[in-house]
Amino acid sequence: MTTEIRQQPGRARIGASGNMANAGETCAPQGEKIAQMTLELEGMSCASCALRIEKGLKKLPGVREAHVNLATERATVTFDPSAVSVQQMLDKVSAVGYKATPVATGPAEASVELSISGMTCASCARRIEQVLAHTDGVLTASVNLATERGTVRYNPRVVQVADLIRAVERAGYGATEVVAGTGATAHAAVPADTEAERRQRELRVKAFKLILGIVLATPVVILSLFFMNQFTGENYLLLALTTPVWAYVGWDFHRGALKVLRHGGANMDVLVSMGATAAYGLSVVATFWPQVVGALTFYDTAALIITLIFLGKYLEARARGQTSEAIRKLAGLQARIAHVVRDGHEQDVPVAAVTVGDELIVRPGEKIPVDGVVLQGESTVDESMLTGESLPVEKHVGDTVIGATLNQSGLLHIRATKVGADTVLASVIRMVEQAQGSKAPIQRLADVVSGIFVPTVLGIAVLTFLGWGIAGSALHLARSTSTVGMSGMTTSNPWIVAAVAAIAVLVVACPCALGLATPTAIMVGTGKGAEQGILIKGGESLERIQAVTAVLLDKTGTITKGQPELTDVVPLGDLDERDLLQLAAGAEAGSEHPLARAVVTAAQVRGITPAGPITAFTAMAGAGLAATVAGHTVLIGTRRLLEEQAGINLALRPPFTGTVPAGTQADSLAAVLERLEGAGKTAMLVAVDGTLAGVIAVADTVKTGSAAAVADLQRQGIEVWMITGDNRRTAEAIARQVGIAPEHVLAEVLPHEKAAQVARLQKTGRVIAFAGDGINDAPALAQADVGIAMGTGTDIAMEAADITLVKGNLRSIATALALSRATMQRIKENLFWAFGYNSLLIPLAIASPAIPVLRAGAPIFAAAAMALSSVTVVSNSLRLRRFGR
């Protein structure tokens, strides 16, 4: 539809065909963006028609030039897209009596993410979706209440982003475009005053209002219940205490209700505001003009409505307040400065200034700034912050390196291959953004029902008022039966009777219990979980947990400890196990490699002092090491290292008679190595003074309790899967130890593929809970129906997860699932009671004028019933405190 033109100083002419030619003139300031569009026209019959359309279009603000060609029946328009929309131009052509259709000159589909403000319940989200869906050119619209984001697919030939924002604003909400992330650098540049900090400020304000509401509402309730009409001026005191609660604490409800009503909608704010305002307004009338409606007041009802519902909103806001933390922490991993070699000189530049092809220097202990390939040097790189794998990866010339990983031991020269939005870290950030921004499969039940419940209750209240008012007038109720209330109120006006009944409907239907059903259960359930080291982030996981059919466990740091340990020492020559380990530890003491540290630590734990002194030491990357220790030449490493450095022909090695791993009948070196490697261990050969002395093995060992945890989950009827970047042989060895079937092992999965594997399993109909602890797990945690982070892992994983196991105990997963199911069950029970009260008491409120005991006191009975329903809901939630006993 549109083609952007960056117009330079001077004049340009637009001809009949729409190309730059000799018909009209336009000029724009340097650098200003304008757009050009072609419209297909219908209904023209002569030149005056073309002139009429031209004049109509030129009257629109933002249209710089319009030329209509009668012969081709097309119009070419040059305009400022920030001042006028395509839809406005189409409407203008229609207004002057013709029809216009944009010509397909651009992409047919685009997508935009909008940050939406002002939503309070699911009915708000649905209203925005409906408004956007009915906007010309919109293909699909999805609004996520939890993240306050909306994703819109649209046809840019028909509608622009500015039109979408205006549509949301016309519905009574605010919207801004979310600029797509371009990687960690872009995120790091976000000002301190971020959206998350804004939410924290709003939460602090809500906390203050909640405390104020509780402090003021408490004496109002006590006075109304126990000291009604006990002293002069009591109603004035109640008015003074209630007014701040109604006006200040309840302002969010009133403002939301006014905004939604002004645009023809209805949500829970409307019901809360109307119920509280009706009770407050009637009380004010009773205070100053008791002769009109009697002396009975409902200040406690107004204060309770506002305070209790505000409590629910505060709890909900607190649970939703941390959605952007994972993104910020991911962005914080990015290095800030890069050492770039330009013109033969090293210079420090911001990472954002690095371009593809730049040569960079990375010293030991520094983060690698961007993705690249090693040009010179050898080192080990700690990639655990992205891969979750604890063992550093050896890097040689030609190997690839990942930005934000940590260079450990050597000096590296690298060539930048991916920068900015193309880096692995940036792609991880994008995946987390997309997964968190997607709409939850099940929205909060209370909000879903409120879309029907709220307008229905409003309609019932109006019909109640009109019905009793008309019926009372027709039957002359004022003359035949004077209405006497609980406080002695009398009135002969049937419309006052009708008003009291309508207020009773609003009050009894006011969704206090509905608003408290979810947050109170979540509050108690999450509190109970915290006592057991289980942190549940919010309600979304609770809505999905009951349907979980499979748990996908990351191997490293979740099933295993995440750090290498010495597991086997196998003497094959004249040295015994102690002497072999003493010499090996003495040689490894000169290395900083994690495998070396595991050997030294194991010797120290066993009370063995590593041999010394070390008089020579050579580390051979990817092969092992050679050292002279206590006068002995020691080689530790691969088969090739021993063959090349000591001339040991292992293929001719005769059968040995030394100690072998427990339970084996091996009589050859090959058998020992096969046994060790088959168990998922890293085996290293040890030669002393040119003779094969033995084998030592190191492995990332299984955590205590992992096998029991898998068994617990399987007893609940849940499939248990394992995912890892290790080779299949090692992965299946670990799986056997914990009882996971080989067909449920996903091996050799690259870091950025984990989320895709979760999505693949979801497509088979499984509801997936994913447990992991690495930064690379964050996208998978967000993609899964329920994400479970091990607390011994990274903050990024914990921020992206729904549930965090603080102690890192895998058995807590089964407990977390059971607790989540119990909490969700309480929520369902709470909603049943809340709607049950409404189903029973709304008819009573409607019929209250015909029931003598309810005639004037219906709002009080309604308030008492409303309070009782809230107490029932809270009491039911508190039953969760007995979970696990």
Side-chain angles (χ1 to χ4, degrees):
M1 176 198 67
T2 61
T3 303
E4 284 191 346
I5 305 171
R6 186 175 295 276
Q7 190 150 314
Q8 301 300 325
R11 299 181 180 273
R13 299 183 180 274
I14 302 179
S17 66
N19 299 319
M20 293 298 189
N22 297 320
E25 295 184 354
T26 131
C27 61
Q30 184 171 0
E32 181 180 353
K33 285 187 177 180
I34 60 174
Q36 189 178 86
M37 176 190 64
T38 301
L39 297 177
E40 191 89 40
L41 301 174
E42 296 180 27
M44 293 192 298
S45 58
C46 62
S48 62
C49 297
L51 184 60
R52 180 178 175 82
I53 295 173
E54 282 185 358
K55 288 181 177 180
L57 288 171
K58 289 178 180 178
K59 289 180 180 179
L60 290 173
V63 173
R64 297 188 173 277
E65 185 59 67
H67 184 78
V68 177
N69 189 314
L70 179 61
T72 61
E73 293 187 322
R74 288 194 173 190
T76 302
V77 186
T78 304
F79 64 101
D80 179 358
S82 65
V84 64
S85 69
V86 174
Q87 188 61 47
Q88 287 175 305
M89 288 185 275
L90 299 180
D91 292 343
K92 174 57 73 174
V93 174
S94 177
V96 297
Y98 306 91
K99 182 179 179 180
T101 305
V103 176
T105 59
E109 183 177 323
S111 179
V112 66
E113 188 174 12
L114 302 176
S115 176
I116 300 172
S117 60
M119 294 189 295
T120 59
C121 66
S123 60
C124 299
R126 282 194 301 277
R127 175 169 172 77
I128 296 172
E129 286 179 346
Q130 291 169 356
V131 168
L132 288 171
H134 286 87
T135 301
D136 288 342
V138 171
L139 305 176
T140 62
S142 175
V143 177
N144 188 317
L145 175 65
T147 59
E148 296 183 328
R149 295 285 179 91
T151 302
V152 186
R153 288 175 51 244
Y154 65 100
N155 185 345
R157 302 170 183 170
V158 179
V159 67
Q160 300 294 310
V161 174
D163 302 322
L164 303 178
I165 292 175
R166 280 192 284 267
V168 174
E169 291 173 345
R170 284 195 300 270
Y173 305 89
T176 56
E177 181 181 0
V178 178
V179 180
T182 56
T185 301
H187 284 278
V190 173
D193 187 18
T194 61
E195 183 177 348
E197 291 178 346
R198 174 185 62 80
R199 288 186 177 182
Q200 285 299 314
R201 288 196 301 271
E202 291 178 354
L203 198 60
R204 288 192 292 270
V205 172
K206 285 181 182 292
F208 172 77
K209 288 185 175 182
L210 178 60
I211 293 171
L212 179 63
I214 293 172
V215 168
L216 295 178
T218 300
V220 171
V221 174
I222 293 174
L223 287 172
S224 299
L225 290 179
F226 304 107
F227 302 99
M228 179 62 74
N229 298 324
Q230 294 296 310
F231 57 89
T232 304
E234 180 180 358
N235 282 347
Y236 295 103
L237 176 59
L238 292 174
L239 173 62
L241 291 172
T242 305
T243 298
V245 178
W246 175 80
Y248 177 65
V249 180
W251 172 242
D252 289 344
F253 300 122
H254 305 320
R255 178 178 56 189
L258 290 172
K259 184 183 296 184
V260 172
L261 288 172
R262 187 168 62 247
H263 293 89
N267 63 3
M268 291 180 73
D269 282 346
V270 173
L271 208 54
V272 173
S273 179
M274 290 187 68
T277 301
Y280 177 79
L282 189 59
S283 300
V284 171
V285 174
T287 298
F288 292 101
W289 301 281
Q291 68 277 11
V292 177
V293 295
L296 186 65
T297 60
F298 313 106
Y299 288 116
D300 56 334
T301 302
L304 275 175
I305 290 172
I306 293 295
T307 304
L308 289 175
I309 296 298
F310 198 88
L311 170 63
K313 288 296 181 182
Y314 171 77
L315 294 174
E316 183 180 357
R318 189 175 66 174
R320 291 189 344 205
Q322 303 297 324
T323 55
S324 62
E325 288 298 316
I327 302 298
R328 294 216 307 271
K329 290 186 178 180
L330 279 171
L333 292 174
Q334 177 70 59
R336 300 288 180 252
I337 299 296
H339 311 304
V340 181
V341 178
R342 290 175 178 168
D343 299 326
H345 300 285
E346 179 184 338
Q347 52 183 289
D348 292 346
V349 301
V351 171
V354 177
T355 60
V356 174
D358 279 344
E359 180 181 345
L360 290 79
I361 297 176
V362 186
R363 296 181 173 84
E366 294 182 340
K367 288 183 179 180
I368 296 173
V370 296
D371 296 358
V373 61
V374 178
L375 297 176
Q376 180 182 336
E378 294 181 344
S379 182
T380 57
V381 176
D382 180 3
E383 298 182 346
S384 61
M385 65 279 296
L386 282 176
T387 65
E389 301 297 332
S390 58
L391 297 181
V393 181
E394 295 178 346
K395 298 295 181 180
H396 309 281
V397 174
D399 290 342
T400 58
V401 290
I402 303 172
T405 57
L406 183 65
N407 181 30
Q408 288 191 323
S409 57
L411 180 69
L412 292 178
H413 288 248
I414 68 172
R415 177 82 66 193
T417 56
K418 294 181 179 179
V419 300
D422 297 325
T423 63
V424 171
L425 178 62
S427 66
V428 170
I429 291 175
R430 282 197 301 273
M431 283 189 287
V432 175
E433 286 178 325
Q434 292 166 1
Q436 287 190 337
S438 61
K439 192 170 184 179
I442 300 178
Q443 295 292 350
R444 288 175 174 79
L445 182 57
D447 286 340
V448 171
V449 176
S450 71
I452 302 172
F453 180 73
V454 174
T456 300
V457 169
L458 290 173
I460 291 172
V462 171
L463 291 175
T464 299
F465 175 72
L466 294 175
W468 281 111
I470 295 171
S473 299
L475 297 174
H476 304 286
L477 289 180
R479 293 193 302 273
S480 61
T481 56
S482 177
T483 304
V484 181
M486 292 169 54
S487 62
M489 177 187 75
T490 61
T491 178
S492 60
N493 188 340
W495 292 102
I496 296 296
V497 177
V500 171
I503 292 172
V505 171
L506 288 174
V507 172
V508 79
C510 188
C512 290
L514 196 60
L516 291 171
T518 298
T520 55
I522 291 175
M523 181 176 65
V524 179
T526 53
K528 188 63 181 178
E531 294 176 6
Q532 303 184 30
I534 301 168
L535 302 181
I536 302 175
K537 189 174 184 180
E540 296 298 333
S541 62
L542 295 172
E543 294 176 315
R544 295 291 293 167
I545 196 67
Q546 60 183 345
V548 166
T549 59
V551 173
L552 181 58
L553 305 174
D554 182 55
K555 178 184 78 68
T556 304
T558 302
I559 294 176
T560 64
K561 294 179 180 178
Q563 56 187 17
E565 293 182 355
L566 182 70
T567 58
D568 299 271
V569 179
V570 186
L572 302 181
D574 297 331
L575 296 177
D576 61 17
E577 182 177 323
R578 182 181 181 86
D579 292 338
L580 177 61
L581 180 57
Q582 185 174 37
L583 282 172
E588 296 283 18
S591 172
E592 290 300 318
H593 196 282
L595 297 182
R597 292 197 295 270
V599 174
V600 174
T601 299
Q604 294 171 342
V605 168
R606 301 182 190 190
I608 300 173
T609 302
I614 302 176
T615 56
F617 179 87
T618 304
M620 288 155 280
L625 61 85
T628 302
V629 183
H632 296 280
T633 301
V634 179
L635 288 173
I636 304 177
T638 63
R639 179 192 300 262
R640 182 177 179 182
L641 175 69
L642 270 62
E643 291 177 344
E644 292 181 352
Q645 296 292 324
I648 301 175
N649 191 338
L650 297 174
L652 300 177
R653 167 73 188 176
F656 63 85
T657 58
T659 304
V660 298
T664 69
Q665 301 296 324
D667 61 355
S668 68
L669 173 62
V672 172
L673 294 178
E674 182 177 354
R675 291 276 182 177
L676 293 172
E677 292 172 353
K681 301 173 181 178
T682 300
M684 297 175 287
L685 302 177
V686 182
V688 178
D689 296 327
T691 302
L692 179 64
V695 179
I696 57 177
V698 175
D700 182 10
T701 56
V702 172
K703 287 181 179 179
T704 302
S706 289
V710 171
D712 287 344
L713 292 168
Q714 290 172 340
R715 277 194 295 270
Q716 293 183 24
I718 296 175
E719 291 182 1
V720 182
W721 293 65
M722 185 181 79
I723 188 169
T724 180
D726 288 345
N727 62 69
R728 176 156 291 277
R729 185 178 182 182
T730 300
E732 291 185 353
I734 297 295
R736 282 195 300 272
Q737 295 180 48
V738 297
I740 297 176
E743 60 269 21
H744 287 173
V745 175
L746 304 176
E748 301 176 20
V749 178
L750 296 177
H752 63 278
E753 294 176 342
K754 289 187 177 181
Q757 290 292 332
V758 173
R760 183 180 66 83
L761 289 176
Q762 288 172 322
K763 290 179 180 178
T764 64
R766 295 177 173 90
V767 180
I768 302 296
F770 179 89
D773 71 337
I775 286 174
N776 71 301
D777 296 330
L781 288 166
Q783 172 66 41
D785 299 293
V786 177
I788 303 173
M790 312 303 290
T792 51
T794 65
D795 289 342
I796 308 303
M798 289 186 279
E799 287 294 342
D802 299 293
I803 298 175
T804 298
L805 307 181
V806 176
K807 299 176 183 177
N809 184 353
L810 198 60
R811 297 198 71 173
S812 296
I813 293 180
T815 305
L817 298 184
L819 176 60
S820 298
R821 290 192 186 98
T823 305
M824 193 61 191
Q825 180 63 28
R826 293 295 178 272
I827 292 174
K828 291 180 178 180
E829 292 170 357
N830 289 345
L831 292 172
F832 170 80
W833 283 109
F835 287 114
Y837 272 103
N838 284 327
S839 300
L840 174 64
L841 296 177
I842 287 178
L844 287 177
I846 295 172
S848 60
I851 304 174
V853 73
L854 295 179
R855 284 176 185 164
I860 283 293
F861 288 119
M866 178 268 295
L868 181 60
S869 68
S870 298
V871 170
T872 302
V873 164
V874 174
S875 299
N876 190 49
S877 296
L878 290 175
R879 291 172 54 208
L880 283 168
R881 298 170 67 179
R882 298 195 296 270
F883 176 83
R885 294 181 183 175

